[in-house]
């Protein structure tokens, strides 16, 4: 039996990189540095990077050709334009063509004038409240005048994230709104508390993961068993277009995110924490790196945290552009230097994760709630929300709303209230046609179907999903057929390709959507295959998302319903 398991779980690249001092951990970073200096394809510059790391050329060509940031050419000036859902909804996706005309370069290419300008279409930049958006190198530009800003005819415009609390006692936004300092709970806990006490409070709170899966946090921590070498990873790869909650927390209150990670490490008996962050969030990267340096200087981290026997190190790792790499097994593969593809489960990461060590992966928003829970008690947190889904949630409203921004609400808050009262309805009196909830593969609600609680149970009953709880509004300016193609384009572009149902099925669906002629019986068969045979939730979520979109638009998308 042991031989069968070993053969099933053997990963040649992981084994080789481990023998070479885990050189894979630095591989993606080295590839990113090499890519930033050339417009050549990965076949030119990736093999030398692998050679310097003592790895075969294939070890570098894999991630270099997989991750969007590495595959795209980089000129002296590199522009990333968001083509994700909120920016698409802001103007029907026409901004990309306008930017191409202004810069004289097509997406995913460099200009013919010696590669002085390169253009990359990405999903997403976290400016969903002010889209369409772009990063000119690391300078954000947003709004209807985006092409003019990139052409230099207007100054860059990048408003701060509008933030508001709807709970009267915020769990997640206390530092952002009132400046409440972080690290107060950690210093007391590490000095006089115990890991069991932290675990008990989180268990009593009923806190579930906020990254989309909704798994009970205390159960995941317990599954790792405080085994030697346990690692806790903060997943800051906020990939759901329409959500910018993690970006807000990492930019405006990074110490609280790190404090939550430290408490999670303490509860899990982990001496190492890792924060994986999106390359599309350069300001958040800078703030988190600064916050880690400050945490070491203040004695929160290091070999003897606050003079105790607790040793804790935290490092920041920058991603390279992949939606699926936010899935926990794909995330771990990326941290090891491989392609960010989902891995079969079992074994689960809590048993064998990063370099085969027990690994707990928690979303940034999840961890940011832990200090409040430990300070106020799990029961106080459990009194919020619903009986099955406790606590609060950050909800992000897109640019189409009168009052876009990030709101902290209790789980169970009616979606209609969020849309009409908090968001103020749509701008300019526009009519809401469909509301996307939880990212492109979360699901859609019709304008007359908003009387549903903001919870996983409530939304799943309507064919949607909570996800990161980003709300993107579509008005009458965007045709339903265009929204459908956008969903399939996202699925085809972001599928990691690790399993045939998702890799082939997403491309087949895009072909049908582009032809405006859904083959009913074939789509029914494909939806079953995607749902039952996809390796991870990405492929399994495609059919429900498409079905919910068809329900939202009714006869206008006949043939795409369940």
């Amino acid at each position: 039996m042991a031989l069968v398991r070993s053969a099933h779980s053997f990963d040649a690249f992981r084994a080789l990189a481990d023998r070479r001092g885990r050189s894979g951990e630095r591989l993606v970073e080295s590839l990113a540095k090499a890519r930033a200096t050339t417009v050549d394809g990965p076949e030119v510059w990736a093999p030398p990077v692998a050679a310097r790391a003592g790895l075969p050329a294939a070890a570098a060509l894999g991630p270099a050709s997989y991750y969007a940031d590495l595959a795209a050419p980089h000129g002296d000036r590199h522009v990333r334009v968001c083509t994700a859902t909120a920016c698409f909804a802001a103007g029907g996706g026409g901004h990309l063509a306008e930017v191409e005309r202004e810069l004289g370069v097509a997406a995913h290419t460099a200009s013919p004038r010696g590669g002085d300008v390169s253009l990359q279409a990405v999903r997403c930049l976290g400016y969903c409240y002010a889209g369409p958006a772009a990063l000119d190198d690391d300078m954000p530009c947003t709004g209807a005048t985006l092409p003019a800003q990139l052409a230099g005819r207007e100054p860059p415009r990048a408003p701060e994230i509008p933030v508001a609390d709807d709970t009267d006692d915020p769990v997640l936004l206390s530092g952002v709104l009132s400046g409440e300092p972080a690290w107060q709970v950690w210093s007391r806990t590490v000095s006089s508390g115990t890991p069991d006490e932290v675990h008990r409070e989180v268990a009593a709170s009923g806190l579930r993961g906020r990254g989309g899966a909704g798994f009970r946090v205390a159960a995941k921590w317990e599954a790792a068993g405080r085994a030697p070498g346990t690692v806790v990873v903060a997943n800051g790869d906020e990939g759901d277009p329409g959500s910018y909650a993690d970006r807000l927390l990492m930019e405006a209150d990074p110490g609280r995110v790190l404090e939550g990670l430290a408490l999670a490490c303490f509860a899990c008996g982990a001496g190492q924490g890792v924060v994986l962050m999106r390359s599309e969030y350069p300001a958040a990267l800078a703030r988190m790196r600064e916050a880690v340096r400050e945490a070491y200087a203040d004695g929160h981290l290091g070999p003897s945290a606050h003079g105790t026997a607790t040793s804790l190190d935290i490092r920041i790792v920058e991603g390279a552009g992949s939606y699926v790499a936010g899935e926990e097994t794909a995330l771990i593969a990326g941290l090891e230097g491989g392609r960010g593809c989902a891995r079969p489960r079992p074994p689960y990461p809590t048993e064998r994760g990063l370099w085969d060590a027990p690994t707990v992966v928690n979303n940034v928003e999840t961890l940011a709630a832990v200090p409040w829970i430990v300070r106020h008690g799990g029961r106080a947190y459990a009194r919020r929300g619903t009986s099955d889904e406790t606590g609060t949630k950050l909800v992000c409203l897109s640019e189409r709303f009168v009052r876009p921004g990030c709101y902290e609400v209790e789980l169970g808050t009616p979606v209609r209230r969020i849309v009409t009262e908090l968001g103020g309805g749509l701008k300019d009196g526009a009519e809401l046609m469909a509301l996307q909830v939880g990212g492109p593969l979360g699901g859609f609600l019709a304008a007359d179907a908003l009387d549903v609680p903001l919870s996983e149970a409530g939304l799943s009953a309507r064919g949607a999903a909570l996800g990161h709880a980003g709300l993107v509004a579509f008005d009458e300016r965007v045709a339903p057929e265009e929204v459908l193609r956008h969903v399939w384009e996202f699925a085809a572009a972001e599928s990691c390709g690790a399993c045939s149902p998702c890799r082939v099925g997403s491309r087949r669906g895009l072909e049908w959507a582009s032809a405006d002629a859904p083959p009913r019986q074939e789509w029914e068969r494909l939806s079953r295959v995607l749902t039952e045979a996809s390796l991870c939730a990405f492929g399994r979520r495609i059919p429900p998302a498409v079905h919910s979109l068809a329900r939202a638009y009714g006869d206008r998308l006949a043939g795409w319903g369940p």
Side-chain angles (χ1 to χ4, degrees), residues 36 46 54 63 100 122 156 280 284 313 315 332 336 358 360 377 419 458 479:
E100 290 177 323
V122 300
E280 295 90 343
D313 287 305
R315 61 189 176 95
I332 289 168
E336 294 173 345
V360 172
V419 169

Side-chain angles (χ1 to χ4, degrees), residues 511-535:
E511 292 172 1
W512 294 337
S514 300
D516 292 327
R520 293 175 182 269
Q521 292 185 344
E522 288 188 56
W523 164 231
E524 290 175 6
R525 287 195 294 268
L526 177 60
S527 64
R528 288 196 298 271
V529 172
L530 283 165
T531 302
E532 297 172 5
S534 293
L535 185 59

Side-chain angles (χ1 to χ4, degrees), residues 19-351:
R19 289 201 302 271
R20 298 293 174 87
R22 298 187 179 177
S23 53
E25 290 185 347
R26 301 177 297 277
L27 182 59
V28 173
E29 179 183 356
S30 299
L31 290 170
K33 290 179 179 178
R35 161 47 85 197
T37 63
T38 179
V39 297
D40 292 331
E43 69 280 359
V44 175
W45 51 267
V49 173
R52 289 192 292 272
L55 296 169
L61 284 169
S65 59
Y66 173 81
Y67 291 106
D69 290 352
L70 303 180
H74 284 227
D76 296 332
R77 176 192 180 194
H78 187 59
V79 177
R80 287 176 280 183
V81 177
C82 182
T83 59
T85 314
C87 288
F88 171 76
H95 63 286
L96 178 59
E98 294 176 11
V99 169
E100 290 177 323
R101 287 193 294 270
E102 287 283 2
L103 300 182
V105 57
H108 308 298
T109 68
S111 63
R113 302 186 299 276
D116 55 336
V117 180
S118 53
L119 182 62
Q120 179 185 356
V122 300
R123 308 170 184 85
C124 108
L125 297 175
Y127 287 88
C128 317
Y129 57 94
L135 286 176
D136 191 350
D137 288 325
D138 286 344
M139 173 67 71
C141 303
T142 68
T145 62
L146 175 66
Q149 293 174 46
L150 293 172
R153 296 195 303 275
E154 293 193 15
R157 176 181 177 271
E160 296 293 323
I161 299 173
V163 182
D165 171 57
D166 187 53
T167 69
D168 296 327
D169 182 15
V171 172
L172 299 158
L173 295 181
S174 57
V176 178
L177 292 172
S178 63
E180 179 182 288
W183 291 112
Q184 298 180 70
V185 176
W186 169 247
S187 58
R188 294 195 301 269
T189 302
V190 74
S191 299
S192 58
T194 67
D196 283 340
E197 289 171 351
V198 175
H199 186 271
R200 276 199 302 271
E201 295 302 337
V202 172
S205 74
L207 177 66
R208 293 178 180 268
R210 299 300 190 226
F215 195 78
R216 288 190 179 272
V217 173
K220 180 179 283 192
W221 290 1
E222 186 174 358
R226 294 180 190 158
T230 296
V231 179
V232 180
V233 178
N235 186 352
D237 192 32
E238 182 178 39
D240 273 355
S243 177
Y244 42 91
D246 291 352
R247 183 196 142 210
L248 170 68
L249 293 171
M250 292 187 291
E251 285 186 11
D253 201 6
R256 201 167 313 276
V257 175
L258 294 175
E259 182 180 23
L261 176 57
L263 289 165
C265 288
F266 187 64
C268 295
Q272 180 184 359
V274 181
V275 184
L276 176 70
M277 300 186 60
R278 308 186 70 218
S279 63
E280 295 90 343
Y281 288 177
L285 270 162
R287 288 290 292 118
M288 288 291 288
R289 284 169 173 158
E290 178 186 5
V292 168
R293 289 192 293 268
E294 292 174 352
Y296 275 100
D298 293 340
H300 301 309
L301 306 176
S304 179
H306 289 290
T308 67
T310 297
S311 175
L312 178 59
D313 287 305
I314 292 178
R315 61 189 176 95
I316 306 293
V317 177
E318 182 178 354
S322 168
Y323 177 84
V324 173
E327 189 274 339
E328 61 179 10
T329 63
L331 178 152
I332 289 168
L335 288 175
E336 294 173 345
R339 296 162 64 93
C341 297
R343 290 170 169 169
R345 292 181 292 182
Y348 291 92
T350 49
E351 178 186 359

Side-chain angles (χ1 to χ4, degrees), residues 405-490:
C406 185
Y407 296 82
E408 183 166 0
V409 304
E410 289 199 16
L411 283 167
T413 300
V415 172
R416 185 175 297 282
R417 178 172 178 272
I418 296 171
V419 169
T420 59
E421 296 183 27
L422 301 184
L426 270 56
K427 288 180 177 178
D428 304 320
E431 181 183 357
L432 177 66
M433 304 302 295
L435 181 73
Q436 177 190 281
V437 185
L441 303 185
F444 295 80
L445 298 174
D448 61 358
L450 303 183
D451 295 313
V452 55
L454 186 83
S455 66
E456 183 58 43
L459 290 166
S460 62
R462 300 291 182 89
L466 179 63
H468 276 78
L471 303 186
V472 178
F474 285 91
D475 58 30
E476 66 275 9
R477 299 179 309 159
V478 185
E481 296 81 7
E482 294 174 357
V483 182
L484 177 68
R485 278 194 296 272
H486 176 79
V487 171
W488 279 113
E489 286 169 356
F490 177 87

